[in-house]
């Protein structure tokens, strides 16, 4: 069967079973390697992509369910090759160690800040709840998000 998907603003016709998890379509058919297959159980967040502006875990989600929706991967956040503001803040704060989880966390942060330019610490915690970093870069991730936030740092952050 053919699946019609729009990924990073480009339409694609993919010959695959619509039940195939989206992560496999992105990586194996489109060569987009930013989203990672971590746990495969929607518990680590490494596979996150934006779908219509929302952070969605793609490791178990059937690709056929995304027809007609706008999918953006970490690669799509910097289409011109220039890092997005979120990506640049993560670079500036060295908010990655091994980097396996970083794309998913950046995607979730991008979705959060698009909805709420001044997230509280509890907003950030909720947005990143499904994302695990085993390297311990949490404090640097929070500093990167603080850097992006328009709120002042005296609100309990």
């Amino acid at each position: 069967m053919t699946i019609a998907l729009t990924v990073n603003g480009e339409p694609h016709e993919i010959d695959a079973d619509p039940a195939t998890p989206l992560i496999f379509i992105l990586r194996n058919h489109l060569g987009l390697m930013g989203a990672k297959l971590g746990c495969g159980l929607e518990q680590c967040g490494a596979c996150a992509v934006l779908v219509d502006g929302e952070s969605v875990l793609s490791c178990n989600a059937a690709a056929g369910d995304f027809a007609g929706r706008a999918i953006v991967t970490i690669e799509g956040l910097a289409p011109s090759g220039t890092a997005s503001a979120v990506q640049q803040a993560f670079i500036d704060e060295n908010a990655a160690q091994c980097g396996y989880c970083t794309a998913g966390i950046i995607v979730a942060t991008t979705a959060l800040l698009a909805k709420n330019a001044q997230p509280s610490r509890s907003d950030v915690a909720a947005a990143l709840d499904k994302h695990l970093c085993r390297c311990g870069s949490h404090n640097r991730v929070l500093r990167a998000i603080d850097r992006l936030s328009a709120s002042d740092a005296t609100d309990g952050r």
Side-chain angles (χ1 to χ4, degrees):
M1 297 187 78
T2 300
I3 307 167
L5 298 175
T6 301
V7 181
N8 298 333
E10 300 280 327
H12 297 277
E13 296 285 329
I14 296 136
D15 186 27
D17 183 337
T20 303
L22 181 60
I23 186 81
F24 295 115
I25 299 298
L26 296 173
R27 293 178 63 81
N28 300 339
H29 291 266
L30 301 179
L32 298 168
M33 302 302 203
K36 304 286 191 270
L37 180 62
C39 67
L41 301 169
E42 297 182 345
Q43 295 180 357
C44 75
C47 65
V49 296
L50 293 175
V51 179
D52 297 334
E54 299 286 330
S55 180
V56 172
L57 302 180
S58 66
C59 65
N60 284 323
D65 293 345
F66 297 96
R69 301 180 73 191
I71 301 164
V72 178
T73 66
I74 188 80
E75 294 91 346
L77 296 179
S80 66
T82 301
S84 71
V86 175
Q87 290 168 319
Q88 190 60 55
F90 274 63
I91 292 166
D92 293 344
E93 292 296 336
N94 294 314
Q97 191 153 327
C98 81
Y100 205 84
C101 67
T102 308
I105 293 173
I106 287 173
V107 163
T109 300
T110 300
L112 169 66
L113 294 174
K115 290 181 187 172
N116 182 356
Q118 299 179 332
S120 68
R121 213 18 88 81
S122 62
D123 294 332
V124 173
L128 299 183
D129 186 53
K130 295 181 180 180
H131 296 269
L132 300 177
C133 172
R134 291 182 171 93
C135 296
S137 65
H138 301 87
N139 288 332
R140 290 175 281 168
V141 167
L142 295 175
R143 282 196 307 268
I145 296 169
D146 286 346
R147 177 185 286 262
L148 294 160
S149 176
S151 67
D152 77 37
T154 62
D155 67 354
R157 293 164 169 274

